[in-house]
Amino acid sequence: MKKMFGLLICATFLFVGCNEANAEKKAEAAPAPAAVAPAPAAPAPEAPKAQITNIDWAKALEMQKAGAVLIDVRTPGEVAEGTAPGSINIPLQEAEHRLAEFPKDKDLLIFCRSGKRSMAVSNFLIQNGYTQVFNVVGGFLAFPAN
């Protein structure tokens, strides 16, 4: 299942990249229309998709004091070596099965060791309807020493 989740994330990135390249090729290759036909009624615009916001540790810790939830997506072994105080550990490999543990009504501050796994989990959350997702840039390697 862990491999399936990783493959799903990789496939998403490939799919998005391939679709953008195909759209550019089609736009370049499409001939100009000979006559302008009346445009059909435009469909209602979709609600804008939520975006991931990158933040630094100073902002993350400030937001945590205001009620945001810090989520460490590293393995339990990595967390045993140290983590941010008050954080919850939901490893990347378990995110899909533990989706209900991510609160939808609070800002989610996602971090890992350096930032790659946290970005993957952040994308996964956005795809599953979460709107208040923040990626902590630099991960735990950038955590301020006291």
Side-chain angles (χ1 to χ4, degrees), residues 52-72:
I52 300 163
T53 303
N54 289 317
I55 59 171
D56 62 15
W57 274 106
K59 180 68 176 171
L61 295 173
E62 176 184 314
M63 290 174 70
Q64 182 188 26
K65 287 179 185 175
V69 179
L70 263 174
I71 300 176
D72 188 339

Side-chain angles (χ1 to χ4, degrees), residues 5 7-8 16 20 32-34 36 38 50-51 59-60 62 78 83 86 91 95 99 114 125 127 140 145-146:
F5 182 66
L7 289 174
L8 174 67
V16 171
E20 289 177 7
V36 177
Q51 294 184 342
K59 180 68 176 171
E62 176 184 314
E78 290 173 297
T83 191
L99 186 61
S114 63
L125 292 171
Q127 291 170 357
F140 193 66
N146 291 337

Side-chain angles (χ1 to χ4, degrees), residues 19-106:
N19 280 344
E20 289 177 7
N22 288 339
E24 289 174 8
K25 287 179 185 176
K26 286 180 183 178
E28 291 173 3
V36 177
E46 287 185 31
K49 195 169 189 175
Q51 294 184 342
I52 300 163
T53 303
N54 289 317
I55 59 171
D56 62 15
W57 274 106
K59 180 68 176 171
L61 295 173
E62 176 184 314
M63 290 174 70
Q64 182 188 26
K65 287 179 185 175
V69 179
L70 263 174
I71 300 176
D72 188 339
V73 297
R74 298 177 300 151
T75 65
E78 290 173 297
V79 171
E81 296 174 10
T83 191
S87 65
I88 299 168
N89 180 226
I90 303 176
L92 165 69
Q93 299 83 352
E94 299 175 16
E96 181 178 7
H97 300 291
R98 295 176 64 184
L99 186 61
E101 294 180 46
F102 293 91
K104 280 197 168 187
D105 62 340
K106 297 188 181 215

